């Protein structure tokens, strides 16, 4: 399941425009999916994409989960879009609509899209909603033009997005593994005769500051620099310092941090990637990109199924918690310090 906050550019001006805008909202063209757009007033507040269930019983359970999730977000109404053949897509759409209504959420529109055509399942008029459906073109719609101008893209499918965050292979993998071995020896030398945690935190803070400076000016880390940061991030004290740096730099630094942490996740030794992937997932969640947040968190859990930071992020994504509900790290502490000083 992919969750995300609202997007300010999306205009819901009819079924064809909704269907044309949705791939840009998600970041890819959905298939065999349910997409739910939660509305508050006339604006989009929250949206979710999930796979269609395998059987009817699973569908009833999943539909109720959608109803509970959107009730938690205090939406007024939900638009339901099913991507797939008439069955099981239609049955799951009606089950989800029933769950929304049980939670006092109106469903003003329910669409099914398949092979370039759409059907409005709440329309009883054969004149405006013919049995063979209506054609729509994602590429030429006004919503697609607006999205493109805004810098949005819709990749062919979810697997394409997954591959965009995949780790190194072939010669690149061999090179980063050798660099990671060198970084491990460097860490041993750093820790010899020192208090390990302060030494790592100090070295990591310096390495991260240098990395931030490089990515801010469009440069890129070497393999040895990637490996050094990756090894240092295994120490929680420095991982938490990097987490705080992400929030301290705020929205104005988000694009730079996304470049940095995406590069680390793509290039790090796959067995050591969990901390960097978790932080990238956090960044994408803060930016409202639930799809890439989920993919990054999954990479962290694939590398280390017991990694607590990734498990925390997975729970946040599973519950559909919007970024606005959780203040950036350190904010509550800073406010408490100011209150004590007063």
């Amino acid at each position: 399941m992919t969750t995300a906050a609202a997007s300010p550019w999306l205009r819901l001006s009819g079924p064809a425009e909704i269907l044309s805008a949705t791939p840009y909202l998600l970041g890819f063209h959905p298939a065999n999916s349910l997409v739910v757009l939660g509305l508050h007033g006339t604006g989009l507040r929250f949206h979710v994409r999930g796979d269609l269930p395998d059987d009817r019983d699973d569908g009833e359970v999943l539909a109720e989960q959608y109803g509970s999730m959107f009730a938690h977000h205090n939406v007024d109404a939900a638009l339901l879009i099913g991507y797939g053949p008439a069955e099981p897509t239609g049955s799951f759409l009606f089950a989800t609509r029933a769950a929304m209504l049980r939670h006092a959420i109106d469903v003003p529109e329910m669409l099914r899209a398949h092979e370039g055509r759409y059907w409005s399942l709440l329309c009883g008029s054969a004149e405006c909603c013919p049995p063979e459906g209506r054609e729509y073109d994602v590429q030429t719609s006004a919503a697609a033009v607006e999205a493109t101008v805004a810098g949005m893209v819709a990749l062919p499918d979810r697997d394409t997005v997954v591959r965009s965050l995949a780790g190194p292979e072939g010669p690149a993998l061999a090179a980063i593994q050798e660099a990671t071995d060198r970084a491990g020896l460097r860490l041993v030398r750093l820790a010899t005769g020192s208090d390990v945690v302060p030494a790592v935190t100090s070295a990591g803070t310096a390495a991260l500051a240098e990395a931030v400076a490089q990515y801010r000016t469009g440069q890129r880390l070497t393999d040895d620099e990637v490996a050094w940061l990756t090894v240092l991030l295994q120490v929680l004290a420095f991982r938490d310092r990097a987490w705080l740096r992400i929030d301290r730099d705020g929205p104005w630094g988000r694009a730079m941090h996304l470049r940095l942490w995406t590069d680390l996740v793509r290039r790090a030794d796959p067995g050591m990637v969990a901390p960097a992937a978790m932080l990238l997932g956090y960044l994408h969640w803060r930016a409202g990109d639930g799809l890439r947040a989920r993919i990054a968190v999954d990479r962290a859990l694939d590398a280390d199924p017991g990694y607590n930071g990734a498990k925390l992020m997975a729970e946040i994504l599973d519950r559909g918690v919007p970024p606005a509900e959780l203040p950036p790290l350190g904010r509550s502490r800073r406010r408490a310090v100011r209150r004590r000083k007063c």
Side-chain angles (χ1 to χ4, degrees):
M1 183 184 295
T2 300
T3 63
S7 177
W9 60 265
L10 181 65
R11 298 183 180 183
L12 307 177
S13 57
E17 287 298 310
I18 293 170
L19 290 166
S20 297
T22 298
Y24 294 92
L25 183 65
L26 298 176
F28 68 101
H29 291 270
N32 297 315
S33 301
L34 173 71
V35 175
V36 186
L37 308 178
L39 307 179
H40 184 73
T42 59
L44 178 63
R45 182 167 192 164
F46 178 69
H47 66 272
V48 166
R49 186 219 67 92
D51 295 336
L52 295 177
D54 292 330
D55 58 46
R56 186 178 182 86
D57 290 340
D58 288 345
E60 295 290 342
V61 172
L62 187 55
E64 181 58 31
Q65 290 177 353
Y66 282 124
S68 298
M69 179 186 296
F70 278 79
H72 172 73
H73 284 276
N74 297 317
V75 300
D76 302 323
L79 306 180
L80 308 183
I81 310 171
Y83 291 87
E87 289 301 330
T89 313
S91 297
F92 185 47
L93 279 167
F94 278 102
T96 305
R97 177 175 180 260
M100 293 292 174
L101 295 176
R102 285 195 297 272
H103 287 276
I105 299 172
D106 186 31
V107 180
E109 184 61 279
M110 186 165 69
L111 304 172
R112 182 176 71 85
H114 188 55
E115 296 181 344
R117 290 182 173 270
Y118 75 87
W119 293 259
S120 175
L121 302 189
L122 299 182
C123 177
S125 170
E127 183 176 350
C128 67
C129 301
E132 69 274 15
R134 286 189 175 276
E135 292 185 351
Y136 73 101
D137 187 350
V138 171
Q139 304 299 328
T140 61
S141 70
V145 173
E146 287 186 48
T148 302
V149 170
M152 309 293 287
V153 295
L155 296 176
D157 51 39
R158 190 180 188 277
D159 287 344
T160 305
V161 188
V162 172
R163 289 194 294 272
S164 74
L165 292 178
E169 297 179 340
L173 175 59
I176 198 64
Q177 287 175 332
E178 291 177 4
T180 302
D181 289 341
R182 292 192 294 270
L185 292 173
R186 183 179 175 185
L187 180 63
V188 170
R189 290 194 294 269
L190 175 69
T192 301
S194 303
D195 192 344
V196 176
V197 172
V200 169
T201 302
S202 177
T205 300
L208 180 59
E210 176 61 24
V212 165
Q214 290 193 47
Y215 282 81
R216 186 170 284 139
T217 58
Q219 300 178 65
R220 195 166 179 246
L221 298 181
T222 66
D223 281 352
D224 281 308
E225 289 169 329
V226 167
W228 183 230
L229 264 178
T230 302
V231 167
L232 294 172
L233 283 165
Q234 307 305 309
V235 177
L236 289 179
F238 171 54
R239 191 281 315 269
D240 289 348
R241 185 70 63 90
W243 204 343
L244 286 168
R245 174 67 189 263
I246 288 170
D247 273 346
R248 190 185 75 200
D249 286 348
W252 67 268
R254 189 169 290 151
M256 175 274 299
H257 275 289
L258 284 170
R259 290 193 299 272
L260 166 60
W261 294 100
T262 298
D263 202 29
L264 256 66
V265 167
R266 287 171 173 166
R267 297 172 59 198
D269 184 331
M272 305 281 284
V273 78
M278 183 277 292
L279 291 174
L280 180 61
Y282 176 77
L283 263 165
H284 279 302
W285 172 73
R286 277 281 174 214
D289 189 342
L291 169 65
R292 287 172 177 79
R294 171 64 65 183
I295 293 169
V297 169
D298 285 348
R299 279 217 59 200
L301 290 173
D302 286 344
D304 184 353
Y307 195 69
N308 286 331
K311 289 162 68 175
L312 172 62
M313 283 306 308
E315 183 174 357
I316 287 172
L317 295 170
D318 288 342
R319 293 176 178 269
V321 178
E325 285 195 10
L326 293 178
L329 295 175
R331 177 177 293 177
S332 298
R333 182 180 177 184
R334 290 195 298 270
R335 287 177 176 172
V337 169
R338 283 197 291 268
R339 282 196 295 268
R340 286 197 297 270
K341 287 182 178 179
C342 293

